Amino acid sequence: MKKKLLKYIIFTILLFLLLLLTACWDRKELDDLAVVAGIAIDYDRETEGIKLTAQIIKAGEVGQPQGGGKGGSSAKEEGAETVWIVESTGETVFDAVRNFTFQSSRKLYFPHNNIIVFSKELAEKGITPYLSFFIRDHETRNMVWVLIAEDQAGDVMRVKTDLEEIPAVGIARMIEDKVVTSEISGIMLQEFLTMLMSKTTGPVATPLRILEKGGEKKPLIEGTAVFKGDKLLTHLNKKETRGLLWVKGEVESGIIIIKDPRGNKISIEITKASSKVKAEITNGEYKIKLKVSTEGNIGEQMGDTNLATGKMIAYLERQDQEAVKREIEAALKKAKEYKTDIFAFGEAFHRKYPDNWQEIQRNWDNIFPEVKVSIEVDSQLHHAGLNVKPPIPVKQ
Amino acid sequence: MLRKLLRKLRFIELLRNENNEEGDQEVVADIQVAKKLQENLSYIEKRLGKSSDFVCRKIRLGSKDKIEAAIVYIEGLVDKTSISENILRPLMIDTRLVANEDTAVNIVKVIETNTITSGDIRYTADLDCLIDSLLTGETGILINSSKKALIIATRGWEARGIQQPETEVVVRGPREGFTETLRTNTSQLRRKIHNPNLIFEAMKLGKQTKTEICIAYIKGLVNDKLIEEIKRRLESIETDAILESGYIEEFIEDAPFSPFPTIANTERPDVAAAKMLEGRAAILVDGTPFVLTVPMLFVESLQIAEDYYSRPFYTTIIRWIRIISLFISILLPATYVALATFHQEIIPTPLLITMIAASEGTPFPVLVAAIFMGIVFEILREAGVRLPRPVGQAVSIVGALVIGEAAVSAGLISAPLVIMVALTAISSFVVSSQADAATVLRFILVILAGSLGAFGIIIGLLGLLIHMTSLRSFGTPYLSPLAPLSLRDLKDVLVRSPLWAMFTRPRTIAWQDPQRQDFRMMPHPPQDRDKSEAEVDSSDNE
């Protein structure tokens, strides 16, 4: 009886010990974190390895009101940096990441990373080798924006944004604003990987340029970076980018500029858009039937034509359709020129003709430029804003 | 394991009881009222140890003043005007007019039937019984050469009047609360429920204190087995003293090792009445305004009296606020610790930056700081409750300024932690009947969260859920009507539906008579009523 009781007591104590012993291996205090806001990957010529540039948030400097400051300690000084830019080199990405410890007192913490920037050089050589770390590591997330720098990626980390205190966050917000114009391809790592893993699709990513204005470097994001496989080929301009997004059905908003019969410019605001892609093989001919439907409002008119007539609306709708069609055709032309299927037409054929897929896939590079795309655009204008007729000055 | 320990304890207890009983039997013997008055008086005096509050007034009765008698009572427990008006005056003056025969036997009869003007009067032949009555505030009349003593109810002592209860304050609703006097309390219940089925069963507990206890219930609504069980548990109590209903609670509760109370208490007659009307039983204890009600469901801690006096929409919102507060008071510190030490990735970036900035330079790990602040809060609360009011103010100033503000500006504790502790503290006051349980659980969960992160919290909550679902209060599942689910009873859990919609009593408690009212009680304004009446008329004609 006593022995049994002792056994129970020991068992309970062990159970509690178990709780305490397993504990804390994963524990990290808040002030042990070096929160990475953005990271850039370059090819390092000196060591023939990788050069990483990380943007680390200096939490103490962010959001502190001038002259106030936390806990009576010194207030934020004028022009104090909110981020710490640190470089590290290594033979592989992971190696370089660990090598940050030579310079940083804290371990780099990746879950809050916003952007990964690849240099143009790396992107042209193929970026697959450098993605592996970001996919495998448990701390990194797939929800980061993939950016392609115009030149060196490290420079991107050093740009400043005016409104956001942390530049990487500012850049991420700029990409998130893509919905307003639909002229930027904002691609997260996850989407990029999906496109990369498809045998036929050409991945796209977000390009980033650096503008120099009065000695200050500011980021600029527009258009699309186009890949074939994992190698960077070319860029799409703004209109071509929207052409791409029309096909993918990712246009959410934006302005289309058309002209009224007298040649005055009219801005159409896109309110809704969707697309349908249908693949078809007839007599060995590969056909894609593209159906884009869009709805919009008249947001602005530069002239004084009365647009509030049925005829005029129909005319404008036709113009709108033409404009959309032109954008799609421009994108299509460029893609065919570079033989990269950024529209994922290959996947459409895959879905429709799974039996022939192996064959299609093997020849896709030859087939894609020959695919006949019929574009059908349905455009509807619903509202004319708050005033129907333009204010016309009295003619004297 | 605990059960085995308990069994051992019980065994020791039994042994001791047996010894005691043998000893007690010699002392307790029936002492009859003797014929000689002096003998009786000296026995009583000896028994009471010549207590200074024992009063013995000797008088002579009868037309010839031949019969010796004595009036005995304990000063302070009796109503003196009642004694002089109803006993002394009739005995000393009126018996002369009435009694012609001077034998003791006759005069006792005369006194009982014709002279004493008090309502409650009885005989006893047992002196110890007389002493017990004296100790509860009754007055005894001993008459020479009579073998019976008269006991007259003259209870009346200084007591606190009916006041507003401090623990359960309402904006709308009755302002009266129970008092320390059992009779006042039963009268308050009686005034709420004018029904012959309202039963008070009296009982005396405590070897030394002999405290009066009263089981109150409504016959027909209450489950008879519940009353049997309550009586069985109460009768099995063998202890020295019952000074407060908390004593009884601990002796009869179902789960003595649970942090959760399985017996509810209230200071409000309207709450006690409402609970009895749902088929519960109340246990009133003399000497405390806190009345126990059984069985208790967990949801009772989320319901307060005012819920039923104000309109349902607002009450429903407030009930949700209470549920949220309960969760905050149990989980917030643990969640904060888990997020700040293990799961920084799920904190939104701007918040994380703020939190890092705030904790920059603080010397302690979050877990230590959270436990420390938790203890500091408990210290402040305890000091605030115990201290006299004027000093209590100082405590809150010290607490708010020195501990909160100064600790942050000195860089000892991060500001978010202080905010979190403050929010937890305020929330814990919202659901006051579970505040004790919440405090205990909070610390356990903080330690689990600090060692295992969110995984630890989940383990803790799962354990808690298993424990709570296995709890019973006098046979009723503690989590009902949530588990076991009773859809019908959910009308008074997550929402407080209108009173006319709650036409049934809780199923798990009042299954004997579940119908509270007609289910067509929704009020109709006149227009609608005319229509529906017209419909009824037309259907009648058909």
Side-chain angles (χ1 to χ4, degrees):
Chain A
M1 179 71 196
K2 248 185 187 171
K3 253 188 179 173
K4 235 180 182 177
L5 195 72
L6 201 69
K7 259 189 196 168
Y8 277 121
I9 293 173
I10 289 174
F11 179 71
T12 321
I13 292 172
L14 285 179
L15 213 67
F16 276 100
L17 275 184
L18 204 66
L19 257 182
L20 294 173
L21 288 177
T22 55
C24 311
W25 65 270
D26 200 15
R27 206 182 121 238
K28 19 187 196 312
E29 289 295 325
L30 284 175
D31 41 14
D32 295 339
L33 301 180
V35 180
V36 177
I39 193 148
I41 308 173
D42 281 300
Y43 177 70
D44 190 39
R45 270 171 224 292
E46 285 171 38
T47 58
E48 292 185 351
I50 307 284
K51 187 176 86 180
L52 293 184
T53 312
Q55 198 176 81
I56 292 165
I57 300 172
K58 285 179 170 174
E61 306 291 346
V62 179
Q64 297 300 336
Q66 307 254 334
K70 122 201 129 153
S73 65
S74 64
K76 181 183 170 186
E77 287 162 38
E78 195 69 42
E81 295 284 342
T82 52
V83 288
W84 176 45
I85 314 291
V86 58
E87 281 180 7
S88 160
T89 53
E91 288 180 43
T92 61
V93 177
F94 207 173
D95 186 30
V97 167
R98 282 291 155 95
N99 288 346
F100 274 118
T101 21
F102 298 141
Q103 301 162 65
S104 166
S105 57
R106 301 174 183 182
K107 198 171 159 273
L108 264 62
Y109 190 65
F110 278 97
H112 287 271
N113 191 11
N114 292 287
I115 53 173
I116 303 177
V117 189
F118 293 94
S119 74
K120 194 187 179 192
E121 198 182 351
L122 278 184
E124 278 172 350
K125 272 199 273 178
I127 62 173
T128 320
Y130 314 104
L131 287 173
S132 176
F133 168 75
F134 295 100
I135 306 163
R136 277 175 199 273
D137 195 76
H138 70 275
E139 271 198 353
T140 56
R141 289 186 177 180
N142 285 349
M143 305 294 277
V144 302
W145 299 108
V146 178
L147 290 161
I148 309 299
E150 199 186 18
D151 185 25
Q152 290 296 306
D155 297 341
V156 176
M157 292 290 112
R158 291 185 182 82
V159 297
K160 290 230 169 75
T161 44
D162 285 319
L163 292 178
E164 305 301 326
E165 285 187 281
I166 299 151
V169 172
I171 291 171
R173 291 245 179 119
M174 283 165 69
I175 304 173
E176 279 158 27
D177 282 346
K178 67 185 175 171
V179 293
V180 179
T181 58
S182 301
E183 288 172 356
I184 301 168
S185 279
I187 300 294
M188 285 197 163
L189 184 57
Q190 187 146 334
E191 294 169 71
F192 188 81
L193 291 171
T194 316
M195 292 186 281
L196 193 63
M197 279 155 69
S198 157
K199 297 270 162 60
T200 53
T201 311
V204 291
T206 317
L208 188 143
R209 282 197 287 150
I210 297 171
L211 283 185
E212 269 200 84
K213 260 185 204 162
E216 278 199 359
K217 288 180 174 175
K218 304 283 178 198
L220 176 87
I221 297 172
E222 59 175 29
T224 306
V226 176
F227 284 68
K228 185 173 177 77
D230 66 342
K231 294 185 178 65
L232 177 68
L233 275 188
T234 180
H235 286 83
L236 299 186
N237 67 19
K238 291 191 282 185
K239 290 286 170 263
E240 289 162 350
T241 300
R242 194 151 70 198
L244 168 65
L245 296 181
W246 283 121
V247 178
K248 284 164 115 184
E250 286 175 8
V251 171
E252 283 179 61
S253 182
I255 306 297
I256 299 174
I257 294 162
I258 55 174
K259 283 178 181 164
D260 70 2
R262 290 189 212 165
N264 293 318
K265 284 176 184 163
I266 293 172
S267 312
I268 304 289
E269 183 196 2
I270 307 161
T271 54
K272 223 180 190 179
S274 60
S275 74
K276 265 186 188 169
V277 179
K278 266 191 185 169
E280 221 178 79
I281 309 179
T282 42
N283 307 329
E285 233 183 14
Y286 290 80
K287 276 184 192 164
I288 288 282
K289 266 191 185 169
L290 189 62
K291 221 177 182 181
V292 176
S293 50
T294 158
E295 287 174 23
N297 298 332
I298 300 170
E300 186 188 15
Q301 76 176 108
M302 306 288 273
D304 55 4
T305 324
N306 183 7
L307 302 177
T309 61
K311 255 189 188 172
M312 187 57 79
I313 295 289
Y315 174 80
L316 292 178
E317 280 176 351
R318 254 191 333 273
Q319 291 290 311
D320 193 29
Q321 286 163 15
E322 289 302 314
V324 173
K325 213 168 175 180
R326 272 199 300 278
E327 287 178 350
I328 297 172
E329 274 165 354
L332 209 59
K333 198 183 146 210
K334 194 135 195 183
K336 280 186 173 174
E337 190 183 318
Y338 286 90
K339 292 185 181 176
T340 175
D341 175 19
I342 51 179
F343 307 100
F345 285 157
E347 294 298 322
F349 281 106
H350 187 180
R351 280 192 290 273
K352 187 85 186 277
Y353 302 101
D355 298 341
N356 306 357
W357 172 239
Q358 293 299 337
E359 196 190 329
I360 298 172
Q361 177 204 324
R362 236 176 287 125
N363 296 327
W364 184 247
D365 278 356
N366 301 325
I367 296 169
F368 177 67
E370 305 303 325
V371 171
K372 281 199 175 135
V373 184
S374 61
I375 307 165
E376 192 184 315
V377 184
D378 173 41
S379 167
Q380 286 184 344
L381 299 180
H382 285 304
H383 302 282
L386 293 180
N387 79 322
V388 180
K389 288 181 186 173
I392 307 168
V394 181
K395 278 173 190 161
Q396 287 174 339
Chain B
M1 194 184 75
L2 285 170
R3 217 168 278 162
K4 287 210 168 129
L5 274 174
L6 271 183
R7 205 175 291 163
K8 277 196 172 173
L9 278 175
R10 246 175 243 157
F11 184 59
I12 295 167
E13 198 87 339
L14 269 179
L15 278 181
R16 201 187 294 158
N17 278 350
E18 273 167 26
N19 289 340
N20 276 359
E21 272 163 31
E22 283 166 23
D24 283 350
Q25 271 166 359
E26 285 168 33
V27 181
V28 179
D30 273 2
I31 304 288
Q32 297 294 323
V33 178
K35 278 225 162 186
K36 281 197 170 173
L37 176 67
Q38 200 50 50
E39 248 176 63
N40 291 333
L41 289 179
S42 58
Y43 176 78
I44 295 173
E45 234 167 66
K46 201 183 100 195
R47 199 74 181 82
L48 291 175
K50 293 182 180 164
S51 283
S52 56
D53 56 352
F54 173 64
V55 178
C56 175
R57 172 81 158 84
K58 286 180 188 163
I59 50 173
R60 279 174 180 280
L61 301 177
S63 47
K64 287 160 191 166
D65 282 352
K66 267 187 183 170
I67 300 165
E68 274 185 277
I71 296 168
V72 288
Y73 58 88
I74 306 244
E75 192 160 8
L77 295 182
V78 294
D79 180 10
K80 280 197 169 174
T81 45
S82 159
I83 287 181
S84 63
E85 289 290 319
N86 299 338
I87 302 170
L88 279 176
R89 181 189 291 265
L91 281 186
M92 294 168 78
I93 300 167
D94 300 349
T95 41
R96 291 173 183 231
L97 308 174
V98 183
N100 295 321
E101 294 157 86
D102 282 353
T103 60
V105 183
N106 286 336
I107 205 133
V108 169
K109 199 91 192 143
V110 169
I111 288 172
E112 191 213 341
T113 50
N114 294 354
T115 50
I116 301 281
T117 52
S118 178
D120 187 355
I121 184 164
R122 62 197 157 93
Y123 292 113
T124 182
D126 185 349
L127 264 185
D128 283 311
C129 176
L130 174 67
I131 291 170
D132 284 347
S133 316
L134 293 186
L135 292 174
T136 58
E138 288 173 313
T139 303
I141 303 175
L142 289 158
I143 296 164
N144 199 12
S145 77
S146 161
K147 284 197 94 174
K148 281 175 183 169
L150 280 165
I151 298 172
I152 299 144
T154 50
R155 282 185 208 186
W157 51 77
E158 292 301 318
R160 192 170 62 96
I162 293 176
Q163 285 170 348
Q164 185 166 8
E166 279 185 23
T167 52
E168 295 161 80
V169 184
V170 293
V171 178
R172 179 174 176 179
R175 296 269 187 274
E176 59 175 2
F178 284 124
T179 67
E180 281 77 2
T181 318
L182 182 66
R183 275 297 143 229
T184 319
N185 296 349
T186 53
S187 73
Q188 279 176 295
L189 285 178
R190 190 66 87 179
R191 280 203 341 256
K192 295 252 180 256
I193 306 167
H194 303 276
N195 188 335
N197 286 336
L198 174 61
I199 311 273
F200 294 110
E201 282 194 38
M203 208 177 212
K204 277 195 182 174
L205 281 184
K207 263 184 278 177
Q208 302 290 343
T209 58
K210 301 211 168 77
T211 312
E212 273 187 79
I213 283 161
C214 198
I215 309 170
Y217 57 92
I218 298 174
K219 213 172 167 184
L221 292 186
V222 80
N223 179 1
D224 296 330
K225 281 187 180 162
L226 173 70
I227 301 300
E228 263 171 49
E229 177 65 18
I230 293 172
K231 276 192 217 156
R232 198 184 59 75
R233 290 192 195 184
L234 285 177
E235 274 158 9
S236 70
I237 298 177
E238 267 190 56
T239 181
D240 262 4
I242 303 289
L243 294 180
E244 214 271 341
S245 50
Y247 280 52
I248 290 184
E249 186 177 339
E250 276 192 41
F251 280 116
I252 66 171
E253 70 186 334
D254 289 67
F257 291 107
S258 170
F260 295 100
T262 48
I263 294 176
N265 63 65
T266 181
E267 223 184 325
R268 300 181 59 87
D270 52 333
V271 173
K275 290 194 172 172
M276 283 159 63
L277 286 166
E278 283 192 342
R280 292 184 182 86
I283 302 169
L284 292 82
V285 179
D286 193 27
T288 176
F290 288 92
V291 168
L292 305 177
T293 56
V294 285
M296 181 199 183
L297 306 181
F298 181 72
V299 290
E300 277 176 52
S301 23
L302 301 171
Q303 303 163 339
I304 60 161
E306 207 174 340
D307 285 1
Y308 306 94
Y309 307 148
S310 40
R311 304 190 64 242
F313 302 107
Y314 173 70
T315 305
T316 301
I317 294 172
I318 293 299
R319 189 161 285 177
W320 274 96
I321 297 286
R322 258 179 243 138
I323 294 169
I324 293 167
S325 306
L326 184 67
F327 274 99
I328 286 179
S329 74
I330 294 175
L331 279 176
L332 183 67
T335 314
Y336 180 85
V337 168
L339 289 188
T341 46
F342 289 97
H343 314 289
Q344 290 96 347
E345 63 269 16
I346 64 169
I347 307 173
T349 312
L351 180 60
L352 179 72
I353 294 169
T354 317
M355 279 166 68
I356 293 178
S359 67
E360 207 94 46
T362 54
F364 307 112
V366 178
L367 173 63
V368 175
I371 292 177
F372 172 71
M373 284 308 283
I375 292 172
V376 165
F377 164 67
E378 291 301 325
I379 292 172
L380 282 173
R381 193 187 59 83
E382 186 64 15
V385 173
R386 304 291 160 229
L387 276 178
R389 259 196 203 146
V391 195
Q393 296 257 320
V395 170
S396 48
I397 291 168
V398 169
L401 291 182
V402 179
I403 312 282
E405 178 66 29
V408 173
S409 54
L412 291 175
I413 304 289
S414 72
L417 194 69
V418 173
I419 295 166
M420 184 210 68
V421 168
L423 185 59
T424 311
I426 294 168
S427 309
S428 72
F429 292 129
V430 175
V431 186
S432 54
S433 60
Q434 294 290 354
D436 316 8
T439 308
V440 175
L441 296 174
R442 193 185 307 147
F443 281 106
I444 294 173
L445 283 174
V446 162
I447 290 168
L448 276 174
S451 50
L452 295 172
F455 180 59
I457 297 180
I458 298 295
I459 286 182
L461 287 182
L462 273 181
L464 199 62
L465 188 69
I466 292 168
H467 171 67
M468 285 176 81
T469 43
S470 70
L471 271 185
R472 295 282 182 281
S473 170
F474 285 81
T476 310
Y478 196 48
L479 280 188
S480 80
L482 293 166
L485 187 68
S486 164
L487 288 176
R488 198 177 72 186
D489 296 345
L490 288 183
K491 283 176 190 170
D492 196 15
V493 178
L494 302 178
V495 294
R496 201 284 269 171
S497 38
L499 292 175
W500 44 260
M502 291 194 278
F503 49 84
T504 52
R505 301 191 176 88
R507 173 181 289 189
T508 42
I509 296 171
W511 50 270
Q512 287 212 323
D513 183 8
Q515 182 97 3
R516 197 193 318 246
Q517 66 207 14
D518 194 342
F519 61 90
R520 292 164 299 189
M521 286 301 293
M522 191 173 87
H524 291 288
Q527 281 176 319
D528 285 9
R529 195 164 55 214
D530 292 347
K531 237 185 252 169
S532 60
E533 271 169 16
E535 273 168 29
V536 170
D537 286 347
S538 61
S539 62
D540 281 354
N541 292 338
E542 283 166 22

